[in-house]
Short mmCIF file of all heavy atoms in Angstrom, two decimals:
data_model
loop_
_atom_site.label_atom_id
_atom_site.label_comp_id
_atom_site.label_asym_id
_atom_site.label_seq_id
_atom_site.Cartn_x
_atom_site.Cartn_y
_atom_site.Cartn_z
N ASP A 1 -35.65 -19.12 -50.06
CA ASP A 1 -34.58 -20.14 -50.30
C ASP A 1 -33.26 -19.42 -50.52
O ASP A 1 -33.08 -18.73 -51.54
CB ASP A 1 -35.02 -20.98 -51.45
CG ASP A 1 -33.92 -21.83 -52.09
OD1 ASP A 1 -33.01 -22.18 -51.38
OD2 ASP A 1 -34.03 -22.11 -53.27
N ASN A 2 -32.34 -19.55 -49.63
CA ASN A 2 -31.06 -18.85 -49.69
C ASN A 2 -29.92 -19.78 -50.13
O ASN A 2 -28.77 -19.50 -49.90
CB ASN A 2 -30.70 -18.25 -48.37
CG ASN A 2 -31.39 -16.93 -48.17
OD1 ASN A 2 -31.95 -16.38 -49.07
ND2 ASN A 2 -31.37 -16.44 -46.95
N SER A 3 -30.21 -20.93 -50.73
CA SER A 3 -29.15 -21.84 -51.13
C SER A 3 -28.65 -21.47 -52.51
O SER A 3 -29.36 -20.85 -53.32
CB SER A 3 -29.66 -23.25 -51.14
OG SER A 3 -30.77 -23.35 -52.02
N PRO A 4 -27.41 -21.80 -52.86
CA PRO A 4 -26.89 -21.55 -54.19
C PRO A 4 -27.77 -22.25 -55.27
O PRO A 4 -28.41 -23.23 -54.93
CB PRO A 4 -25.47 -22.12 -54.19
CG PRO A 4 -25.07 -22.15 -52.74
CD PRO A 4 -26.44 -22.37 -51.99
N ASP A 5 -27.81 -21.71 -56.45
CA ASP A 5 -28.65 -22.33 -57.51
C ASP A 5 -28.02 -22.27 -58.83
O ASP A 5 -26.77 -22.07 -58.92
CB ASP A 5 -30.00 -21.57 -57.50
CG ASP A 5 -29.87 -20.06 -57.32
OD1 ASP A 5 -28.91 -19.54 -57.81
OD2 ASP A 5 -30.70 -19.47 -56.65
N PHE A 6 -28.75 -22.43 -59.87
CA PHE A 6 -28.23 -22.45 -61.26
C PHE A 6 -28.17 -21.06 -61.82
O PHE A 6 -28.90 -20.18 -61.40
CB PHE A 6 -29.07 -23.36 -62.12
CG PHE A 6 -29.10 -24.77 -61.66
CD1 PHE A 6 -30.15 -25.33 -60.94
CD2 PHE A 6 -28.06 -25.62 -62.00
CE1 PHE A 6 -30.14 -26.62 -60.49
CE2 PHE A 6 -27.99 -26.93 -61.56
CZ PHE A 6 -29.06 -27.41 -60.83
N PHE A 7 -27.33 -20.85 -62.87
CA PHE A 7 -27.19 -19.55 -63.48
C PHE A 7 -28.53 -19.11 -64.07
O PHE A 7 -29.25 -19.88 -64.70
CB PHE A 7 -26.14 -19.60 -64.56
CG PHE A 7 -24.75 -19.49 -63.99
CD1 PHE A 7 -23.97 -20.67 -63.86
CD2 PHE A 7 -24.23 -18.27 -63.63
CE1 PHE A 7 -22.70 -20.59 -63.38
CE2 PHE A 7 -22.94 -18.22 -63.10
CZ PHE A 7 -22.18 -19.39 -62.95
N ASN A 8 -28.86 -17.87 -63.85
CA ASN A 8 -29.99 -17.21 -64.42
C ASN A 8 -29.66 -15.80 -64.72
O ASN A 8 -29.12 -15.07 -63.85
CB ASN A 8 -31.16 -17.30 -63.39
CG ASN A 8 -32.51 -16.92 -63.95
OD1 ASN A 8 -32.66 -16.91 -65.14
ND2 ASN A 8 -33.47 -16.67 -63.13
N ASN A 9 -29.88 -15.32 -65.93
CA ASN A 9 -29.45 -14.03 -66.38
C ASN A 9 -27.95 -13.84 -66.22
O ASN A 9 -27.47 -12.77 -65.90
CB ASN A 9 -30.18 -12.90 -65.63
CG ASN A 9 -31.58 -12.62 -66.12
OD1 ASN A 9 -32.36 -11.95 -65.45
ND2 ASN A 9 -31.99 -13.12 -67.27
N HIS A 10 -27.21 -14.93 -66.46
CA HIS A 10 -25.73 -14.97 -66.34
C HIS A 10 -25.26 -14.64 -64.93
O HIS A 10 -24.10 -14.15 -64.72
CB HIS A 10 -25.08 -13.97 -67.35
CG HIS A 10 -25.49 -14.28 -68.75
ND1 HIS A 10 -24.94 -15.31 -69.49
CD2 HIS A 10 -26.44 -13.72 -69.56
CE1 HIS A 10 -25.51 -15.37 -70.66
NE2 HIS A 10 -26.40 -14.37 -70.78
N THR A 11 -26.07 -14.86 -63.95
CA THR A 11 -25.71 -14.64 -62.55
C THR A 11 -26.11 -15.85 -61.74
O THR A 11 -26.98 -16.65 -62.07
CB THR A 11 -26.44 -13.40 -61.92
OG1 THR A 11 -27.82 -13.64 -61.89
CG2 THR A 11 -26.10 -12.12 -62.65
N LEU A 12 -25.44 -15.94 -60.58
CA LEU A 12 -25.69 -17.06 -59.63
C LEU A 12 -25.59 -16.49 -58.24
O LEU A 12 -24.67 -15.78 -57.96
CB LEU A 12 -24.60 -18.13 -59.88
CG LEU A 12 -24.56 -19.39 -58.99
CD1 LEU A 12 -25.78 -20.26 -59.33
CD2 LEU A 12 -23.31 -20.11 -59.17
N ARG A 13 -26.60 -16.90 -57.42
CA ARG A 13 -26.54 -16.41 -56.02
C ARG A 13 -25.49 -17.30 -55.33
O ARG A 13 -25.32 -18.47 -55.61
CB ARG A 13 -27.86 -16.68 -55.28
CG ARG A 13 -28.93 -15.75 -55.79
CD ARG A 13 -30.21 -15.92 -54.96
NE ARG A 13 -30.77 -17.27 -55.18
CZ ARG A 13 -31.82 -17.76 -54.62
NH1 ARG A 13 -32.51 -16.97 -53.78
NH2 ARG A 13 -32.24 -18.98 -54.84
N ILE A 14 -24.77 -16.67 -54.38
CA ILE A 14 -23.81 -17.41 -53.55
C ILE A 14 -24.11 -17.10 -52.08
O ILE A 14 -24.75 -16.10 -51.78
CB ILE A 14 -22.36 -17.04 -53.89
CG1 ILE A 14 -22.14 -15.49 -53.77
CG2 ILE A 14 -21.98 -17.48 -55.25
CD1 ILE A 14 -20.68 -15.03 -53.90
N VAL A 15 -23.68 -17.97 -51.22
CA VAL A 15 -23.92 -17.81 -49.78
C VAL A 15 -22.54 -17.91 -49.10
O VAL A 15 -21.81 -18.86 -49.33
CB VAL A 15 -24.88 -18.92 -49.22
CG1 VAL A 15 -25.08 -18.73 -47.72
CG2 VAL A 15 -26.14 -18.93 -50.00
N ASP A 16 -22.21 -16.94 -48.24
CA ASP A 16 -20.95 -16.98 -47.49
C ASP A 16 -21.11 -17.70 -46.18
O ASP A 16 -22.19 -18.16 -45.82
CB ASP A 16 -20.32 -15.56 -47.38
CG ASP A 16 -21.04 -14.71 -46.37
OD1 ASP A 16 -21.99 -15.14 -45.69
OD2 ASP A 16 -20.61 -13.56 -46.25
N LYS A 17 -20.03 -17.77 -45.44
CA LYS A 17 -20.04 -18.51 -44.20
C LYS A 17 -20.93 -17.90 -43.11
O LYS A 17 -21.34 -18.53 -42.16
CB LYS A 17 -18.62 -18.67 -43.63
CG LYS A 17 -18.00 -17.35 -43.25
CD LYS A 17 -16.55 -17.53 -42.75
CE LYS A 17 -15.93 -16.21 -42.51
NZ LYS A 17 -14.55 -16.38 -42.04
N ASN A 18 -21.31 -16.60 -43.30
CA ASN A 18 -22.20 -15.93 -42.39
C ASN A 18 -23.66 -15.96 -42.89
O ASN A 18 -24.49 -15.25 -42.37
CB ASN A 18 -21.75 -14.46 -42.23
CG ASN A 18 -20.41 -14.36 -41.60
OD1 ASN A 18 -20.10 -15.08 -40.62
ND2 ASN A 18 -19.51 -13.57 -42.16
N GLU A 19 -23.91 -16.76 -43.93
CA GLU A 19 -25.21 -16.93 -44.54
C GLU A 19 -25.75 -15.69 -45.19
O GLU A 19 -26.95 -15.44 -45.25
CB GLU A 19 -26.20 -17.52 -43.56
CG GLU A 19 -25.82 -18.90 -43.07
CD GLU A 19 -26.85 -19.55 -42.18
OE1 GLU A 19 -28.01 -19.10 -42.20
OE2 GLU A 19 -26.45 -20.52 -41.51
N LYS A 20 -24.82 -14.82 -45.67
CA LYS A 20 -25.23 -13.63 -46.43
C LYS A 20 -25.21 -13.98 -47.89
O LYS A 20 -24.42 -14.80 -48.36
CB LYS A 20 -24.29 -12.43 -46.17
CG LYS A 20 -24.33 -11.96 -44.73
CD LYS A 20 -25.68 -11.32 -44.42
CE LYS A 20 -25.69 -10.80 -43.03
NZ LYS A 20 -27.00 -10.12 -42.66
N ILE A 21 -26.11 -13.35 -48.70
CA ILE A 21 -26.28 -13.66 -50.12
C ILE A 21 -25.55 -12.60 -50.95
O ILE A 21 -25.60 -11.41 -50.67
CB ILE A 21 -27.77 -13.63 -50.47
CG1 ILE A 21 -28.59 -14.50 -49.56
CG2 ILE A 21 -27.94 -13.98 -51.95
CD1 ILE A 21 -28.23 -15.96 -49.61
N GLY A 22 -24.89 -13.07 -52.00
CA GLY A 22 -24.30 -12.22 -53.01
C GLY A 22 -24.45 -12.84 -54.37
O GLY A 22 -25.18 -13.85 -54.50
N PHE A 23 -23.75 -12.36 -55.39
CA PHE A 23 -23.88 -12.88 -56.73
C PHE A 23 -22.58 -12.92 -57.44
O PHE A 23 -21.69 -12.09 -57.19
CB PHE A 23 -24.82 -11.94 -57.56
CG PHE A 23 -26.27 -11.90 -57.09
CD1 PHE A 23 -26.65 -11.01 -56.11
CD2 PHE A 23 -27.16 -12.80 -57.63
CE1 PHE A 23 -27.94 -10.99 -55.70
CE2 PHE A 23 -28.50 -12.74 -57.24
CZ PHE A 23 -28.88 -11.83 -56.22
N VAL A 24 -22.41 -13.95 -58.28
CA VAL A 24 -21.28 -14.05 -59.18
C VAL A 24 -21.82 -14.03 -60.61
O VAL A 24 -22.98 -14.33 -60.88
CB VAL A 24 -20.41 -15.31 -58.96
CG1 VAL A 24 -19.75 -15.29 -57.59
CG2 VAL A 24 -21.21 -16.60 -59.17
N ASN A 25 -20.91 -13.70 -61.58
CA ASN A 25 -21.31 -13.74 -62.96
C ASN A 25 -20.92 -15.12 -63.53
O ASN A 25 -20.42 -15.95 -62.80
CB ASN A 25 -20.72 -12.61 -63.79
CG ASN A 25 -19.22 -12.61 -63.80
OD1 ASN A 25 -18.53 -13.63 -63.54
ND2 ASN A 25 -18.59 -11.46 -64.11
N ASP A 26 -21.17 -15.37 -64.84
CA ASP A 26 -20.89 -16.70 -65.36
C ASP A 26 -19.39 -16.94 -65.54
O ASP A 26 -19.03 -18.07 -65.90
CB ASP A 26 -21.65 -16.93 -66.67
CG ASP A 26 -21.60 -15.85 -67.67
OD1 ASP A 26 -20.79 -14.89 -67.51
OD2 ASP A 26 -22.31 -15.96 -68.69
N SER A 27 -18.53 -15.99 -65.21
CA SER A 27 -17.10 -16.21 -65.17
C SER A 27 -16.64 -16.49 -63.69
O SER A 27 -15.46 -16.51 -63.44
CB SER A 27 -16.35 -15.03 -65.70
OG SER A 27 -16.60 -14.83 -67.05
N LEU A 28 -17.66 -16.57 -62.84
CA LEU A 28 -17.46 -16.84 -61.39
C LEU A 28 -16.74 -15.71 -60.69
O LEU A 28 -16.09 -15.86 -59.60
CB LEU A 28 -16.75 -18.19 -61.12
CG LEU A 28 -17.47 -19.41 -61.65
CD1 LEU A 28 -16.65 -20.64 -61.32
CD2 LEU A 28 -18.86 -19.46 -61.05
N GLU A 29 -16.86 -14.48 -61.23
CA GLU A 29 -16.32 -13.29 -60.59
C GLU A 29 -17.44 -12.72 -59.71
O GLU A 29 -18.58 -12.65 -60.11
CB GLU A 29 -15.95 -12.27 -61.66
CG GLU A 29 -14.90 -12.69 -62.57
CD GLU A 29 -14.74 -11.79 -63.77
OE1 GLU A 29 -15.75 -11.26 -64.30
OE2 GLU A 29 -13.55 -11.61 -64.22
N ILE A 30 -17.13 -12.34 -58.52
CA ILE A 30 -18.14 -11.78 -57.62
C ILE A 30 -18.54 -10.39 -58.16
O ILE A 30 -17.68 -9.51 -58.35
CB ILE A 30 -17.58 -11.61 -56.16
CG1 ILE A 30 -17.34 -13.01 -55.58
CG2 ILE A 30 -18.56 -10.82 -55.32
CD1 ILE A 30 -16.72 -13.03 -54.18
N ILE A 31 -19.80 -10.20 -58.43
CA ILE A 31 -20.33 -8.94 -58.94
C ILE A 31 -21.05 -8.21 -57.83
O ILE A 31 -21.18 -6.99 -57.88
CB ILE A 31 -21.17 -9.11 -60.16
CG1 ILE A 31 -22.40 -10.05 -59.95
CG2 ILE A 31 -20.37 -9.60 -61.38
CD1 ILE A 31 -23.38 -10.07 -61.06
N ILE A 32 -21.54 -8.94 -56.79
CA ILE A 32 -22.12 -8.31 -55.62
C ILE A 32 -21.62 -9.11 -54.45
O ILE A 32 -21.91 -10.31 -54.36
CB ILE A 32 -23.64 -8.32 -55.71
CG1 ILE A 32 -24.19 -7.47 -56.89
CG2 ILE A 32 -24.24 -7.71 -54.37
CD1 ILE A 32 -25.68 -7.55 -57.06
N GLU A 33 -20.90 -8.49 -53.54
CA GLU A 33 -20.39 -9.19 -52.36
C GLU A 33 -21.53 -9.72 -51.52
O GLU A 33 -22.57 -9.07 -51.45
CB GLU A 33 -19.54 -8.21 -51.53
CG GLU A 33 -18.25 -7.76 -52.13
CD GLU A 33 -17.21 -8.86 -52.19
OE1 GLU A 33 -17.25 -9.78 -51.32
OE2 GLU A 33 -16.37 -8.84 -53.09
N PRO A 34 -21.35 -10.86 -50.91
CA PRO A 34 -22.40 -11.37 -49.99
C PRO A 34 -22.62 -10.39 -48.81
O PRO A 34 -21.73 -10.17 -48.01
CB PRO A 34 -21.82 -12.67 -49.56
CG PRO A 34 -20.84 -13.08 -50.55
CD PRO A 34 -20.25 -11.80 -51.04
N LYS A 35 -23.83 -9.83 -48.78
CA LYS A 35 -24.11 -8.86 -47.73
C LYS A 35 -25.62 -8.80 -47.44
O LYS A 35 -26.04 -8.08 -46.53
CB LYS A 35 -23.59 -7.47 -48.06
CG LYS A 35 -24.11 -6.88 -49.37
CD LYS A 35 -23.43 -5.56 -49.64
CE LYS A 35 -23.79 -5.09 -51.06
NZ LYS A 35 -22.96 -3.96 -51.45
N TYR A 36 -26.40 -9.56 -48.19
CA TYR A 36 -27.85 -9.45 -48.05
C TYR A 36 -28.39 -10.59 -47.27
O TYR A 36 -27.89 -11.75 -47.32
CB TYR A 36 -28.53 -9.43 -49.45
CG TYR A 36 -28.09 -8.24 -50.24
CD1 TYR A 36 -27.30 -8.43 -51.40
CD2 TYR A 36 -28.40 -6.95 -49.84
CE1 TYR A 36 -26.90 -7.33 -52.13
CE2 TYR A 36 -27.97 -5.87 -50.58
CZ TYR A 36 -27.22 -6.07 -51.73
OH TYR A 36 -26.80 -4.99 -52.44
N ASP A 37 -29.43 -10.32 -46.50
CA ASP A 37 -30.09 -11.38 -45.65
C ASP A 37 -30.81 -12.41 -46.54
O ASP A 37 -30.88 -13.58 -46.24
CB ASP A 37 -31.07 -10.74 -44.69
CG ASP A 37 -30.36 -9.78 -43.74
OD1 ASP A 37 -29.23 -10.06 -43.30
OD2 ASP A 37 -31.00 -8.72 -43.44
N ASN A 38 -31.36 -11.93 -47.64
CA ASN A 38 -32.12 -12.77 -48.54
C ASN A 38 -32.08 -12.07 -49.94
O ASN A 38 -31.95 -10.87 -50.02
CB ASN A 38 -33.57 -12.91 -48.08
CG ASN A 38 -34.29 -14.09 -48.75
OD1 ASN A 38 -33.84 -14.61 -49.77
ND2 ASN A 38 -35.36 -14.49 -48.13
N ALA A 39 -32.17 -12.87 -50.98
CA ALA A 39 -32.20 -12.31 -52.34
C ALA A 39 -32.82 -13.30 -53.27
O ALA A 39 -32.63 -14.50 -53.11
CB ALA A 39 -30.75 -11.98 -52.79
N SER A 40 -33.60 -12.80 -54.22
CA SER A 40 -34.10 -13.66 -55.29
C SER A 40 -33.09 -13.81 -56.35
O SER A 40 -32.14 -13.02 -56.40
CB SER A 40 -35.41 -13.07 -55.83
OG SER A 40 -35.17 -11.85 -56.57
N GLN A 41 -33.32 -14.72 -57.27
CA GLN A 41 -32.50 -14.83 -58.46
C GLN A 41 -32.82 -13.63 -59.34
O GLN A 41 -33.89 -13.09 -59.26
CB GLN A 41 -32.80 -16.08 -59.22
CG GLN A 41 -32.37 -17.34 -58.55
CD GLN A 41 -32.61 -18.54 -59.50
OE1 GLN A 41 -32.34 -18.51 -60.67
NE2 GLN A 41 -33.11 -19.62 -58.91
N PHE A 42 -31.90 -13.26 -60.23
CA PHE A 42 -32.25 -12.24 -61.23
C PHE A 42 -33.18 -12.83 -62.26
O PHE A 42 -32.94 -13.91 -62.78
CB PHE A 42 -30.94 -11.75 -61.92
CG PHE A 42 -30.22 -10.70 -61.12
CD1 PHE A 42 -29.15 -11.03 -60.31
CD2 PHE A 42 -30.57 -9.38 -61.24
CE1 PHE A 42 -28.54 -10.06 -59.54
CE2 PHE A 42 -29.93 -8.37 -60.53
CZ PHE A 42 -28.90 -8.75 -59.68
N GLN A 43 -34.25 -12.15 -62.57
CA GLN A 43 -35.19 -12.50 -63.60
C GLN A 43 -35.47 -11.26 -64.38
O GLN A 43 -35.81 -10.20 -63.77
CB GLN A 43 -36.46 -13.07 -62.98
CG GLN A 43 -36.16 -14.34 -62.20
CD GLN A 43 -37.16 -15.41 -62.45
OE1 GLN A 43 -38.28 -15.14 -62.98
NE2 GLN A 43 -36.79 -16.62 -62.14
N ASN A 44 -35.35 -11.29 -65.69
CA ASN A 44 -35.54 -10.14 -66.55
C ASN A 44 -34.71 -8.95 -66.11
O ASN A 44 -35.10 -7.81 -66.18
CB ASN A 44 -37.03 -9.75 -66.61
CG ASN A 44 -37.90 -10.83 -67.15
OD1 ASN A 44 -37.51 -11.51 -68.14
ND2 ASN A 44 -39.04 -11.06 -66.60
N GLY A 45 -33.51 -9.29 -65.56
CA GLY A 45 -32.52 -8.23 -65.24
C GLY A 45 -32.71 -7.59 -63.88
O GLY A 45 -31.93 -6.73 -63.51
N VAL A 46 -33.68 -8.05 -63.07
CA VAL A 46 -33.84 -7.49 -61.74
C VAL A 46 -33.99 -8.59 -60.70
O VAL A 46 -34.35 -9.72 -60.95
CB VAL A 46 -35.10 -6.53 -61.61
CG1 VAL A 46 -34.95 -5.36 -62.54
CG2 VAL A 46 -36.36 -7.29 -61.92
N ALA A 47 -33.61 -8.26 -59.45
CA ALA A 47 -33.71 -9.16 -58.30
C ALA A 47 -34.22 -8.36 -57.12
O ALA A 47 -33.95 -7.20 -56.95
CB ALA A 47 -32.38 -9.82 -58.00
N SER A 48 -34.92 -9.08 -56.23
CA SER A 48 -35.36 -8.48 -54.96
C SER A 48 -34.32 -8.88 -53.92
O SER A 48 -33.86 -10.02 -53.84
CB SER A 48 -36.70 -9.05 -54.55
OG SER A 48 -37.68 -8.73 -55.44
N ILE A 49 -33.93 -7.93 -53.12
CA ILE A 49 -32.97 -8.22 -52.04
C ILE A 49 -33.57 -7.64 -50.72
O ILE A 49 -34.41 -6.79 -50.75
CB ILE A 49 -31.56 -7.59 -52.29
CG1 ILE A 49 -31.60 -6.12 -52.59
CG2 ILE A 49 -30.91 -8.31 -53.49
CD1 ILE A 49 -31.27 -5.29 -51.41
N TYR A 50 -33.09 -8.22 -49.65
CA TYR A 50 -33.51 -7.73 -48.33
C TYR A 50 -32.27 -7.27 -47.58
O TYR A 50 -31.33 -8.04 -47.41
CB TYR A 50 -34.24 -8.81 -47.54
CG TYR A 50 -35.59 -9.11 -48.13
CD1 TYR A 50 -35.74 -10.00 -49.18
CD2 TYR A 50 -36.73 -8.48 -47.64
CE1 TYR A 50 -37.01 -10.26 -49.77
CE2 TYR A 50 -38.01 -8.74 -48.19
CZ TYR A 50 -38.10 -9.62 -49.21
OH TYR A 50 -39.33 -9.87 -49.80
N CYS A 51 -32.26 -6.01 -47.23
CA CYS A 51 -31.11 -5.41 -46.51
C CYS A 51 -31.68 -4.69 -45.27
O CYS A 51 -32.49 -3.77 -45.38
CB CYS A 51 -30.47 -4.43 -47.46
SG CYS A 51 -28.94 -3.74 -46.82
N ASN A 52 -31.19 -5.17 -44.12
CA ASN A 52 -31.64 -4.62 -42.83
C ASN A 52 -33.17 -4.62 -42.74
O ASN A 52 -33.74 -3.66 -42.24
CB ASN A 52 -31.11 -3.20 -42.60
CG ASN A 52 -29.61 -3.15 -42.64
OD1 ASN A 52 -28.98 -4.09 -42.13
ND2 ASN A 52 -29.01 -2.11 -43.18
N GLY A 53 -33.81 -5.69 -43.19
CA GLY A 53 -35.29 -5.84 -43.06
C GLY A 53 -36.06 -5.11 -44.10
O GLY A 53 -37.30 -5.12 -44.07
N THR A 54 -35.44 -4.40 -45.03
CA THR A 54 -36.13 -3.68 -46.05
C THR A 54 -35.97 -4.33 -47.40
O THR A 54 -34.85 -4.67 -47.82
CB THR A 54 -35.58 -2.23 -46.13
OG1 THR A 54 -35.71 -1.61 -44.87
CG2 THR A 54 -36.31 -1.42 -47.18
N LYS A 55 -37.07 -4.55 -48.13
CA LYS A 55 -37.00 -5.14 -49.46
C LYS A 55 -36.62 -4.02 -50.43
O LYS A 55 -37.17 -2.92 -50.39
CB LYS A 55 -38.33 -5.71 -49.87
CG LYS A 55 -38.38 -6.31 -51.25
CD LYS A 55 -39.70 -6.88 -51.57
CE LYS A 55 -39.76 -7.48 -52.93
NZ LYS A 55 -41.04 -8.05 -53.29
N GLU A 56 -35.67 -4.33 -51.32
CA GLU A 56 -35.23 -3.43 -52.35
C GLU A 56 -35.13 -4.15 -53.65
O GLU A 56 -35.07 -5.43 -53.69
CB GLU A 56 -33.86 -2.79 -52.00
CG GLU A 56 -33.92 -2.05 -50.68
CD GLU A 56 -32.58 -1.38 -50.29
OE1 GLU A 56 -31.70 -1.28 -51.19
OE2 GLU A 56 -32.43 -1.00 -49.13
N ILE A 57 -35.03 -3.48 -54.72
CA ILE A 57 -34.93 -4.04 -56.10
C ILE A 57 -33.60 -3.58 -56.67
O ILE A 57 -33.25 -2.39 -56.57
CB ILE A 57 -36.07 -3.57 -57.00
CG1 ILE A 57 -37.44 -3.90 -56.41
CG2 ILE A 57 -35.90 -4.17 -58.40
CD1 ILE A 57 -37.72 -5.39 -56.25
N ILE A 58 -32.82 -4.51 -57.22
CA ILE A 58 -31.59 -4.13 -57.88
C ILE A 58 -31.69 -4.62 -59.30
O ILE A 58 -32.32 -5.61 -59.62
CB ILE A 58 -30.33 -4.75 -57.20
CG1 ILE A 58 -30.44 -6.24 -57.04
CG2 ILE A 58 -30.07 -4.11 -55.85
CD1 ILE A 58 -29.17 -6.91 -56.50
N GLY A 59 -31.08 -3.85 -60.22
CA GLY A 59 -31.09 -4.18 -61.64
C GLY A 59 -29.66 -4.43 -62.16
O GLY A 59 -28.77 -3.75 -61.76
N LEU A 60 -29.56 -5.43 -62.99
CA LEU A 60 -28.23 -5.76 -63.56
C LEU A 60 -27.60 -4.57 -64.27
O LEU A 60 -26.44 -4.37 -64.22
CB LEU A 60 -28.33 -6.94 -64.51
CG LEU A 60 -28.50 -8.30 -63.89
CD1 LEU A 60 -28.75 -9.31 -65.00
CD2 LEU A 60 -27.33 -8.70 -63.07
N HIS A 61 -28.40 -3.79 -64.95
CA HIS A 61 -27.89 -2.65 -65.70
C HIS A 61 -27.45 -1.49 -64.78
O HIS A 61 -26.74 -0.58 -65.24
CB HIS A 61 -28.95 -2.15 -66.70
CG HIS A 61 -30.18 -1.61 -66.05
ND1 HIS A 61 -31.08 -2.35 -65.36
CD2 HIS A 61 -30.61 -0.29 -66.00
CE1 HIS A 61 -32.06 -1.61 -64.89
NE2 HIS A 61 -31.81 -0.34 -65.26
N LEU A 62 -27.74 -1.53 -63.48
CA LEU A 62 -27.38 -0.51 -62.54
C LEU A 62 -26.44 -0.97 -61.43
O LEU A 62 -26.35 -0.31 -60.41
CB LEU A 62 -28.62 0.10 -61.97
CG LEU A 62 -29.60 0.78 -62.88
CD1 LEU A 62 -30.87 1.15 -62.18
CD2 LEU A 62 -28.95 2.04 -63.53
N LEU A 63 -25.88 -2.12 -61.62
CA LEU A 63 -25.08 -2.71 -60.52
C LEU A 63 -23.93 -1.76 -60.14
O LEU A 63 -23.19 -1.27 -60.96
CB LEU A 63 -24.45 -4.07 -60.95
CG LEU A 63 -25.38 -5.23 -60.89
CD1 LEU A 63 -24.63 -6.49 -61.31
CD2 LEU A 63 -26.04 -5.41 -59.54
N LYS A 64 -23.81 -1.64 -58.82
CA LYS A 64 -22.68 -0.94 -58.25
C LYS A 64 -22.52 -1.42 -56.84
O LYS A 64 -23.43 -1.92 -56.25
CB LYS A 64 -22.86 0.58 -58.29
CG LYS A 64 -24.13 1.09 -57.60
CD LYS A 64 -24.25 2.55 -57.78
CE LYS A 64 -25.55 3.03 -57.15
NZ LYS A 64 -25.72 4.48 -57.25
N GLU A 65 -21.34 -1.28 -56.30
CA GLU A 65 -21.08 -1.70 -54.94
C GLU A 65 -21.40 -0.67 -53.95
O GLU A 65 -20.54 0.22 -53.67
CB GLU A 65 -19.63 -2.22 -54.84
CG GLU A 65 -19.37 -3.54 -55.39
CD GLU A 65 -20.18 -4.63 -54.75
OE1 GLU A 65 -20.31 -4.69 -53.47
OE2 GLU A 65 -20.72 -5.50 -55.51
N ASP A 66 -22.56 -0.67 -53.44
CA ASP A 66 -23.00 0.24 -52.41
C ASP A 66 -23.66 -0.57 -51.34
O ASP A 66 -24.11 -1.68 -51.59
CB ASP A 66 -24.02 1.32 -52.90
CG ASP A 66 -23.36 2.48 -53.59
OD1 ASP A 66 -22.14 2.72 -53.31
OD2 ASP A 66 -24.03 3.10 -54.45
N ASP A 67 -23.78 -0.03 -50.13
CA ASP A 67 -24.46 -0.76 -49.05
C ASP A 67 -25.91 -0.27 -49.03
O ASP A 67 -26.18 0.86 -48.72
CB ASP A 67 -23.79 -0.50 -47.72
CG ASP A 67 -22.49 -1.23 -47.62
OD1 ASP A 67 -22.35 -2.30 -48.21
OD2 ASP A 67 -21.61 -0.71 -46.95
N CYS A 68 -26.80 -1.17 -49.31
CA CYS A 68 -28.25 -0.97 -49.05
C CYS A 68 -28.84 0.31 -49.55
O CYS A 68 -29.35 1.12 -48.88
CB CYS A 68 -28.49 -1.05 -47.57
SG CYS A 68 -27.93 -2.59 -46.84
N HIS A 69 -28.68 0.57 -50.89
CA HIS A 69 -29.31 1.70 -51.48
C HIS A 69 -30.24 1.21 -52.57
O HIS A 69 -29.99 0.18 -53.20
CB HIS A 69 -28.27 2.63 -52.12
CG HIS A 69 -27.38 3.27 -51.10
ND1 HIS A 69 -27.82 4.31 -50.32
CD2 HIS A 69 -26.09 3.05 -50.74
CE1 HIS A 69 -26.86 4.68 -49.49
NE2 HIS A 69 -25.81 3.90 -49.75
N HIS A 70 -31.27 1.93 -52.89
CA HIS A 70 -32.15 1.52 -53.98
C HIS A 70 -31.47 1.72 -55.33
O HIS A 70 -30.77 2.68 -55.50
CB HIS A 70 -33.45 2.37 -53.96
CG HIS A 70 -34.31 2.01 -52.77
ND1 HIS A 70 -34.22 2.64 -51.54
CD2 HIS A 70 -35.29 1.11 -52.62
CE1 HIS A 70 -35.09 2.12 -50.75
NE2 HIS A 70 -35.77 1.17 -51.38
N TYR A 71 -31.68 0.81 -56.23
CA TYR A 71 -31.02 0.86 -57.51
C TYR A 71 -31.95 1.20 -58.66
O TYR A 71 -31.51 1.51 -59.72
CB TYR A 71 -30.30 -0.44 -57.79
CG TYR A 71 -29.19 -0.77 -56.87
CD1 TYR A 71 -29.34 -1.38 -55.67
CD2 TYR A 71 -27.87 -0.32 -57.20
CE1 TYR A 71 -28.29 -1.66 -54.80
CE2 TYR A 71 -26.81 -0.57 -56.34
CZ TYR A 71 -27.04 -1.21 -55.19
OH TYR A 71 -25.98 -1.49 -54.32
N SER A 72 -33.21 1.11 -58.38
CA SER A 72 -34.19 1.48 -59.42
C SER A 72 -35.49 1.86 -58.84
O SER A 72 -35.67 1.78 -57.59
CB SER A 72 -34.38 0.29 -60.39
OG SER A 72 -34.81 -0.81 -59.73
#
């Protein structure tokens, strides 16, 4: 499910016009630019994302703006 949803772990998934997934914080600041094909909501500080067909895990405590690198 790639539709926008409710805040979870102070984050919210967003979808851009190209149907890429990103995240905003509870101040509505983009914390991860929309660039993923699919992404789960953050739960217990981690989320699953799909980048170029590969499933990866990102953690809120390790957020950084990189393209498709493992975060944990």
Side-chain angles (χ1 to χ4, degrees):
D1 163 30
N2 279 347
S3 60
D5 40 37
F6 297 100
F7 281 100
N8 192 15
N9 282 165
H10 303 283
T11 64
L12 178 71
R13 290 184 297 179
I14 56 172
V15 181
D16 73 3
K17 64 182 178 182
N18 297 316
E19 297 186 18
K20 296 293 183 178
I21 307 298
F23 294 88
V24 295
N25 62 19
D26 49 7
S27 297
L28 300 180
E29 300 167 323
I30 294 176
I31 57 172
I32 300 176
E33 291 289 332
K35 58 186 170 188
Y36 300 113
D37 301 321
N38 198 342
S40 69
Q41 291 185 41
F42 277 94
Q43 299 223 342
N44 298 321
V46 296
S48 298
I49 54 98
Y50 289 85
C51 187
N52 300 324
T54 302
K55 181 179 179 180
E56 301 182 15
I57 304 297
I58 55 176
L60 285 174
H61 65 292
L62 297 173
L63 281 182
K64 57 183 177 179
E65 282 299 319
D66 278 337
D67 289 328
C68 304
H69 293 286
H70 290 89
Y71 293 89
S72 60

